[in-house]
């Protein structure tokens, strides 16, 4: 009954049904409140995506709710509540009401429980994903874990999705590390593809940020085997930089070593140059720096040495990349992070091409950085900087 689905029959009868089981009236009262606030639409909105199995499950639930007898016991009532909540969560206006209930400590747990059974569907929806994220923030314990576990078996699908990737990120941020092992496991086999995916790389970044290096070791090893290639990818570069920040000493060593193997190529690439710069900074000034001395020295030696390609001639790699639109930033990081004999070698090499540097904007920036860090140049040497 259509009128009953709008909550009219329950309200007209004072919210009690003659002949109903003792516990049914309490359940019906909850249903009445839910349906008055979030009335079922005549036609429920279609689920996000084109997953046939997911669509069929959703339609079956909607059909069960529409055909439910008012004398059915608690299970049918909870199904109707779930469909009403799911429909509201995917509505452009009504999803805001659900978020408000989730933000209210008095109603957050009860509201979150109404999302059970619909988490995957909502996670792939433009508005539903916001409701799921808020639910994961607002609650804890078994209910929170239960919502997250509904994504088991669908992690890659969510990671690739414009909306679903944000739900996975929120799971990683809000749940204990041991509760997101299923995400790590499902991503591991496809991690090289996911590290270069426009949406999925965000999930990997959150995992490295919030999980211990030991928990992420298997995933990290797969990525590090292709570090040089991934560094040149726009999204792989972001993943590697996050690993340098949070991956632990062994991960940092392997990335820095990969950068030292082909510094000229890395410095001239739009994305790899950012990984190279981060490597220089981490090796010189992070908490892990004392454990990275050998890798830092090798990287600096590679940059100050020759072998940058045919265009380098007799120049060092450092000198050869000064005019490059990306490489000049690497040169500035080298100036800032060098010390002792290295800094003297950097000064010597850059002053040897000072006249050339003064003739370009990027060159003048390099000279300005050298003057600021070393303080051994006259202002005339950087005139026009």
């Amino acid at each position: 009954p259509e009128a009953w689905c709008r909550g009219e029959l329950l309200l007209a009868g004072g919210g009690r049904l003659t002949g109903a089981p003792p516990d049914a009236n309490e359940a019906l009262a909850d249903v009445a409140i839910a349906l008055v606030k979030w009335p079922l639409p005549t036609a429920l909105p279609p689920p996000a995506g084109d997953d046939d199995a997911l669509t069929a499950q959703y339609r079956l639930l909607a059909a069960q709710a529409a055909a439910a007898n008012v004398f059915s016991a608690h299970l049918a009532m909870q199904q109707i509540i779930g469909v009403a909540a799911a429909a509201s969560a995917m509505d452009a206006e009504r999803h805001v009401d659900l978020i408000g209930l989730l933000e209210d400590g008095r109603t957050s747990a009860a509201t979150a429980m109404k999302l059970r059974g619909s988490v995957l569907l909502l996670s792939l929806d433009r508005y539903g994903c916001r409701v799921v994220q808020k639910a994961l923030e607002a609650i804890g314990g078994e209910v929170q874990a239960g919502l997250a576990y509904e994504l088991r078996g669908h992690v890659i699908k969510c990671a690739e999705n414009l909306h679903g990737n944000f739900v996975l990120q929120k799971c990683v941020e809000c749940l204990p590390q041991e509760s997101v092992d299923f995400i790590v496991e499902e991503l591991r086999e496809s991690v090289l593809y996911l590290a270069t995916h426009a949406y999925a790389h965000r999930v990997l970044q959150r995992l490295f940020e919030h999980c211990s290096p030991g928990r992420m070791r298997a995933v990290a090893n797969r990525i590090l085997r292709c570090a040089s290639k991934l560094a040149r990818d726009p999204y792989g570069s972001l993943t590697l930089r996050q690993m340098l920040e949070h991956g632990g000493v062994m991960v940092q060593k392997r990335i820095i070593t990969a950068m030292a193997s082909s510094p000229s190529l890395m410095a001239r690439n739009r994305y790899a140059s950012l990984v190279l710069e981060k490597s220089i900074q981490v090796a010189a000034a992070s908490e892990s720096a004392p454990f990275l001395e050998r890798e830092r020295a090798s990287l600096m030696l590679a940059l100050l040495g020759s072998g940058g390609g045919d265009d380098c001639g007799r120049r060092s790699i450092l000198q050869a990349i000064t005019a490059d639109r990306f490489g000049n930033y690497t040169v500035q990081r080298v100036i800032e992070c060098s010390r002792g004999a290295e800094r003297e070698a950097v000064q010597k090499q850059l002053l040897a091409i000072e006249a050339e540097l003064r003739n370009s904007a990027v060159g003048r920036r390099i000279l300005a950085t050298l003057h600021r860090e070393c303080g051994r140049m006259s202002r005339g040497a950087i005139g026009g900087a």
Side-chain angles (χ1 to χ4, degrees):
E2 185 178 350
W4 182 82
C5 282
R6 293 196 301 268
E8 294 175 1
L9 185 61
L10 286 173
L11 294 176
R16 300 192 66 79
L17 297 174
T18 305
D23 62 344
N25 279 305
E26 181 179 353
L28 287 170
D30 290 338
V31 175
I33 294 172
L35 294 178
V36 168
K37 188 166 184 62
W38 309 304
L40 281 170
T42 303
L44 289 171
D50 55 0
D51 189 313
D52 293 338
L54 187 61
T55 302
Q57 182 182 12
Y58 179 85
R59 295 302 180 195
L60 176 62
L61 185 58
Q64 289 175 340
N69 186 296
V70 295
F71 291 101
S72 297
H74 199 70
L75 178 60
M77 306 309 158
Q78 292 303 316
Q79 287 180 324
I80 295 171
I81 290 175
V83 171
S88 295
M90 293 186 291
D91 184 83
E93 297 180 358
R94 289 185 290 169
H95 84 281
V96 178
D97 294 332
L98 275 174
I99 289 176
L101 290 171
L102 288 166
E103 290 176 339
D104 188 335
R106 297 168 298 179
T107 56
S108 58
T111 305
M113 291 179 69
K114 292 179 173 62
L115 303 179
R116 291 184 299 185
S118 304
V119 174
L120 177 59
L121 177 69
L122 299 180
S123 295
L124 303 178
D125 180 77
R126 177 180 180 182
Y127 303 110
C129 73
R130 301 175 188 176
V131 175
V132 175
Q133 288 178 74
K134 182 56 67 174
L136 291 169
E137 285 181 357
I139 60 172
E142 294 182 0
V143 177
Q144 182 193 55
L147 295 180
Y149 290 161
E150 290 189 28
L151 301 179
R152 278 178 170 170
H154 307 283
V155 169
I156 291 180
K157 180 183 180 70
C158 289
E160 296 173 322
N161 185 266
L162 172 62
H163 311 298
N165 80 89
F166 289 106
V167 175
L168 288 179
Q169 290 183 68
K170 190 61 67 174
C171 287
V172 175
E173 292 171 359
C174 295
L175 271 68
Q177 290 188 37
E178 59 273 14
S179 297
V180 297
D181 281 344
F182 75 97
I183 297 178
V184 177
E185 289 299 318
E186 291 187 40
L187 294 181
R188 185 175 61 184
E189 296 302 320
S190 304
V191 70
L192 295 180
Y193 157 69
L194 298 172
T196 60
H197 191 278
Y199 306 137
H201 79 278
R202 301 168 182 168
V203 182
L204 288 174
Q205 288 186 61
R206 296 293 83 73
L207 285 169
F208 280 109
E209 182 179 343
H210 291 276
C211 294
S212 67
R215 186 166 255 108
M216 295 298 295
R217 184 175 293 114
V219 171
N221 285 337
R222 289 175 180 265
I223 292 175
L224 293 171
R225 290 171 194 160
C226 301
S228 296
K229 180 180 179 180
L230 290 174
R232 301 192 294 274
D233 180 86
Y235 305 115
S237 168
L238 290 168
T239 303
L240 288 174
R241 280 184 275 162
Q242 193 75 342
M243 291 172 69
L244 278 167
E245 188 75 25
H246 301 286
V249 173
M250 296 309 298
V251 167
Q252 292 167 337
K253 286 186 174 185
R254 291 180 64 179
I255 295 176
I256 294 169
T257 300
M259 295 298 103
S261 66
S262 51
S264 179
L265 175 64
M266 298 300 167
R268 297 171 192 270
N269 181 272
R270 181 188 190 100
Y271 307 108
S273 63
L274 298 172
V275 181
L276 179 55
E277 289 180 50
K278 185 71 173 178
S279 296
I280 294 169
Q281 292 171 321
V282 167
S286 69
E287 292 181 358
S288 305
F291 306 101
L292 302 173
E293 278 296 325
R294 180 180 298 178
E295 288 71 26
R296 188 198 63 78
S298 296
L299 180 56
M300 288 295 189
L301 182 62
L303 285 163
L304 292 171
S306 60
D310 295 338
D311 59 329
C312 291
R314 300 173 67 89
R315 292 184 168 194
S316 70
I317 293 176
L318 187 74
Q319 291 172 321
I321 64 176
T322 53
D324 186 83
R325 59 175 177 161
F326 307 121
N328 78 90
Y329 293 104
T330 299
V331 175
Q332 293 178 59
R333 298 297 86 74
V334 170
I335 295 170
E336 293 168 351
C337 298
S338 61
R339 54 179 180 260
E342 292 171 352
R343 176 157 291 189
E344 291 180 7
V346 170
Q347 278 187 288
K348 182 178 179 180
Q349 290 192 12
L350 294 179
L351 290 177
I353 57 171
E354 178 185 344
E356 180 183 329
L357 294 175
R358 291 175 62 185
N359 289 330
S360 67
V362 295
R364 289 193 292 272
R365 284 201 295 267
I366 290 171
L367 290 174
T369 302
L370 186 62
H371 174 70
R372 184 181 68 247
E373 295 296 325
C374 302
R376 290 178 58 182
M377 294 178 59
S378 67
R379 290 191 175 274
I382 57 170

